[in-house]
Amino acid sequence: MTTVTSSALSSLLGERVNDIRRRIEAACRRSGRQPGDVTLVAVTKSAPAEVAALLPALGVLDLGESRPQELWRKAAVLPQEVRWHLVGHLQRNKVARTLPLVYLIHSVDSLRLLAALEEEAERRQKTVDVLLEVNASREPNKHGFAPEEVPGLVPELAKLRWVRVIGLMTMAALEADPQHCRPTFALVRQLRDRLRGELGPPHELEHLSMGMSNDFEVAIEEGATIVRIGTALFESLG
C-alpha cells in the first residue's frame, strides 16, 4: 500500500466513521439518550489488517471479528490499545487462545461454552466479560439461545464466579425495512431487563449488543448500547 493510497483510504474511512457517529447521535436524540451511551464496534472481518489498522487514529478502538483465528491474526499486528470483540461463534477448543486477547465476547450461545470459559478464566485467575447470544429472530442458520430459554438460565448463571454476564446480544433478520426489526430488538431488551432483575453480582447486564449496518438506528431506539458495524464502514475498501 503506498502512502498516497493509505492517506486516501484513511480519509474515506474517516468520512464513513463520522457519518455513522452522526447517525448514532441522531438515533440517541430521538430516543432521549446520550451518544456516549452507545459504543461503536467496527467489525473488521471484511477488512484487511492494513485497513483495520487505520481505525485507532480515527478514534475507533473497539474492533470486532467473527472468527477467532482472524482475531488472533489481527491482534498480533494491530496496536495494543485496540479492544477486541469476538462477535461470532466460539468453539470450546479455541477458548484458551482467544481469552487473553478479547475485551468482550458477544456470542456465548450454550451452557457448555459458558462452562469452558469459566474453567479457563479460573485457571488464569482473570474475570472475563461476556454477552449471551439470543436467536430472537429464530433463524435456523443462527447460533444462540431461544428467547424462551433465557429466563431458565438464571440458576446456572448464578453459579459463575469468573465469567461475568454483562448483557445480551442478538442479530435481527435482514429486512428491506429496518422497522421490521424493531420487535426483535424490543424482545431482547425485555429479556435483558428480566435477567437484570433476577441476577446479582458479578452479573450487571447493562449491555445490549444489537444493530448492524442496515438496522442499527432502530436498535439504538430500542436500547442498544453496542452496535456492530461492518459493511457501512468497509464496503469496497478491502
Side-chain angles (χ1 to χ4, degrees):
M1 185 186 300
T2 67
T3 302
V4 173
T5 303
S6 178
S7 175
L9 266 177
S10 183
S11 178
L12 178 56
L13 193 54
E15 290 174 9
R16 292 183 179 184
V17 167
N18 288 336
D19 178 64
I20 295 294
R21 285 180 171 150
R22 283 192 293 268
R23 292 168 64 186
I24 288 172
E25 290 171 7
C28 285
R29 283 197 301 271
R30 289 194 298 272
S31 51
R33 303 173 63 199
Q34 296 298 315
D37 295 341
V38 179
T39 298
L40 166 62
V41 173
V43 179
T44 57
K45 66 179 183 179
S46 64
E50 58 267 28
V51 174
L54 300 171
L55 287 162
L58 298 172
V60 181
L61 297 179
D62 292 276
L63 307 187
E65 276 295 331
S66 294
R67 297 175 64 246
Q69 299 97 314
E70 189 65 12
L71 189 152
W72 304 342
R73 189 178 72 81
K74 284 181 177 151
V77 297
L78 264 67
Q80 294 272 322
E81 61 187 330
V82 168
R83 294 184 289 262
W84 285 104
H85 298 245
L86 183 68
V87 301
H89 182 60
L90 176 61
Q91 295 171 305
R92 286 174 293 145
N93 63 0
K94 295 182 174 64
V95 164
R97 186 166 177 186
T98 302
L99 214 54
L101 302 175
V102 291
Y103 175 75
L104 180 61
I105 298 172
H106 292 229
S107 47
V108 173
D109 56 8
S110 71
L111 289 175
R112 294 174 74 192
L113 177 55
L114 268 176
L117 289 166
E118 176 80 0
E119 180 180 351
E120 182 64 20
E122 182 175 13
R123 189 181 74 80
R124 293 177 176 275
Q125 296 287 291
K126 183 180 179 182
T127 302
V128 57
D129 288 342
V130 306
L131 307 175
L132 301 182
E133 182 173 1
V134 182
N135 185 0
S137 62
R138 302 182 185 276
E139 293 173 275
N141 61 328
K142 289 181 179 172
H143 295 280
F145 294 99
E148 62 272 13
E149 291 180 298
V150 174
L153 299 175
V154 168
E156 294 302 317
L157 299 178
K159 297 176 186 176
L160 299 171
R161 291 294 173 265
W162 293 93
V163 173
R164 241 178 19 142
V165 180
I166 64 170
L168 302 181
M169 181 269 258
T170 199
M171 184 187 307
L174 184 61
E175 298 278 1
D177 182 353
Q179 293 296 333
H180 294 159
C181 301
R182 194 176 294 277
T184 296
F185 298 140
L187 172 60
V188 176
R189 184 190 70 243
Q190 291 158 10
L191 286 171
R192 189 280 310 269
D193 292 348
R194 177 172 174 177
L195 282 188
R196 189 157 56 176
E198 297 181 6
L199 278 171
H203 313 296
E204 297 177 357
L205 288 126
E206 60 182 300
H207 288 295
L208 288 170
S209 171
M210 54 190 200
M212 298 168 65
S213 293
N214 62 304
D215 56 20
F216 71 90
E217 290 149 304
V218 173
I220 290 170
E221 291 168 3
E222 290 298 331
T225 64
I226 302 170
V227 293
R228 311 181 305 274
I229 309 297
T231 302
L233 289 173
F234 303 114
E235 191 169 36
S236 303
L237 293 187

